[in-house]
Amino acid sequence: MHRLTAALLAAALLLPPAASAHDKLTVLLDWFVNPDHAPLVVAQQAGIFDRHELLVDLVAPADPNDPPKLVAAGKADVAVSYQPQLHVQVAQGLPLRRIGTLVATPLNSLVVLRDGPVKSIADLKGRKIGYSVGGFEDALLRSMLEQYGLNLSDVTLVNVNFALSPSIFAGKVDATIGAFRNFELNQMDIAGKPGRAFYPEEYGVPLYDELILVAHSGRLQDPRLPRLLDALEEAVAMLHNRPAESWAAFVKDNKALDDDLNRRAWKDTLPRFAPSPRALDSHRYARFAGYLAKQGLIPKALPVADYAVELK
């Protein structure tokens, strides 16, 4: 009996350590908590992560540019990021891979006052356009203007930081590029100055995923990652099946979010969440990479496997 016990103990010592009941996982958000993060927050508050034996720490960044860089440096497990940003960062050498999708459609748009003088893209000639972040937003605007025989030299670009709607209200600019259609349009409507949005995907820009999840390219075998995606899939189903219960879970620890703007944004964002977060449309990613290369934002379109994967 003693020899058997010793043998079993020796065999046990040769096995890898068993995973704890709940594995910790750090997810860096792209910005402060808002309805774009609904699947993550609801999965946390409704016990879905718990059912998948995950203890997820959702962290809002001090600088929204940092999350992918911190994941690339091995200082966090997963980051919420943007598909256009991913292409650029991988081209720069960051070891990142898209492992999942949160918001599967563009949110970016060009916004003007609904009752203002700009009724079509052609009306932007000679006018001022505000922006927050150069690079990709410039490319979007260029593509949209080209549909009407215009280019960036036909407009004046004004850096308004993140004061997109206020800059239009104050008359500093005639339009803004980079406005999220689920937020800025609602913000303008609440202020009594409703807006009109022009959507890039209707003006020559290929469809892309707005919000994605990225992980370190050397850590794709981490067993926590598929469980994270399974939990998010359940959370998206809950958002659609039980919207009132989901909203209550979302604002449970975020009372400041329980206001008119966020309720409106919540309703407008729900249809845009990826029903299967792990699913990867390789053709769509390759097409968008080709667009970015044509716009000069990346040197060349890399193979999809170099920046995006579908985990099993």
Side-chain angles (χ1 to χ4, degrees):
M1 179 66 70
H2 292 299
R3 286 196 297 271
L4 179 59
T5 301
L8 290 174
L9 178 59
L13 291 174
L14 295 176
L15 296 175
S20 61
H22 288 74
D23 294 322
K24 293 182 179 180
L25 189 73
T26 300
V27 177
L28 302 182
L29 304 179
D30 60 306
W31 197 240
F32 54 83
V33 175
N34 63 72
D36 291 346
H37 307 130
L40 287 160
V41 177
V42 169
Q44 186 180 63
Q45 295 294 336
I48 299 174
F49 284 147
D50 183 61
R51 289 202 297 274
H52 288 269
E53 298 184 342
L54 290 173
L55 184 61
V56 177
D57 188 17
L58 302 177
V59 181
D63 183 337
N65 294 310
D66 286 345
K69 298 174 184 177
L70 292 172
V71 168
K75 296 181 179 179
D77 300 307
V78 175
V80 177
S81 190
Y82 306 86
Q83 184 186 338
Q85 185 181 49
L86 171 68
H87 290 272
V88 173
Q89 290 177 332
V90 170
Q92 293 171 343
L94 290 188
L96 296 170
R97 294 291 185 277
R98 170 266 180 214
I99 62 165
T101 299
L102 280 182
V103 177
T105 70
L107 294 178
N108 211 317
S109 60
L110 187 148
V111 169
V112 301
L113 287 173
R114 189 175 67 191
D115 298 326
V118 179
K119 305 301 181 184
S120 80
I121 299 296
D123 296 330
L124 290 171
K125 185 174 182 178
R127 299 187 184 276
K128 296 179 180 179
I129 302 178
Y131 70 96
S132 297
V133 182
F136 179 57
E137 290 179 4
D138 293 351
L140 291 184
L141 182 57
R142 185 187 304 113
S143 295
M144 298 173 79
L145 291 172
E146 284 175 351
Q147 303 299 309
Y148 290 83
L150 303 176
N151 55 53
L152 292 180
S153 65
D154 291 311
V155 301
T156 300
L157 295 176
V158 180
N159 189 335
V160 297
N161 294 316
F162 292 97
L164 295 171
S165 297
S167 68
I168 294 182
F169 296 160
K172 294 180 179 179
V173 296
D174 302 292
T176 58
I177 185 70
F180 270 19
R181 61 194 71 172
N182 56 337
F183 276 91
E184 267 77 17
L185 287 179
N186 285 309
Q187 186 179 47
M188 295 174 77
D189 192 56
I190 291 170
K193 298 180 179 180
R196 177 199 309 273
F198 298 95
Y199 306 124
E201 65 270 26
E202 296 178 358
Y203 295 89
V205 179
L207 284 164
Y208 61 91
D209 293 345
E210 190 68 59
L211 284 186
I212 60 174
L213 300 172
V214 298
H216 193 288
S217 59
R219 300 182 178 182
L220 300 178
Q221 302 304 315
D222 188 330
R224 298 171 300 172
L225 300 181
R227 285 151 55 196
L228 171 69
L229 298 172
D230 287 341
L232 291 177
E233 187 170 19
E234 288 185 27
V236 173
M238 178 178 172
L239 288 169
H240 291 294
N241 293 337
R242 299 199 297 278
E245 185 178 337
S246 298
W247 172 256
F250 179 72
V251 299
K252 180 181 178 183
D253 290 341
N254 297 282
K255 300 300 183 185
L257 296 176
D258 194 2
D259 60 17
D260 190 21
L261 175 58
N262 282 291
R263 281 191 292 271
R264 292 184 185 211
W266 172 275
K267 181 180 178 181
D268 288 346
T269 312
L270 280 185
R272 300 180 180 277
F273 290 122
S276 179
R278 64 165 27 90
L280 172 65
D281 187 334
S282 295
H283 172 75
R284 195 165 84 154
Y285 268 69
R287 182 179 60 196
F288 191 70
Y291 168 78
L292 293 180
K294 184 178 179 180
Q295 293 295 322
L297 295 180
I298 57 177
K300 63 179 180 178
L302 298 171
V304 173
D306 285 0
Y307 55 84
V309 297
E310 182 170 326
L311 299 181
K312 303 301 182 184

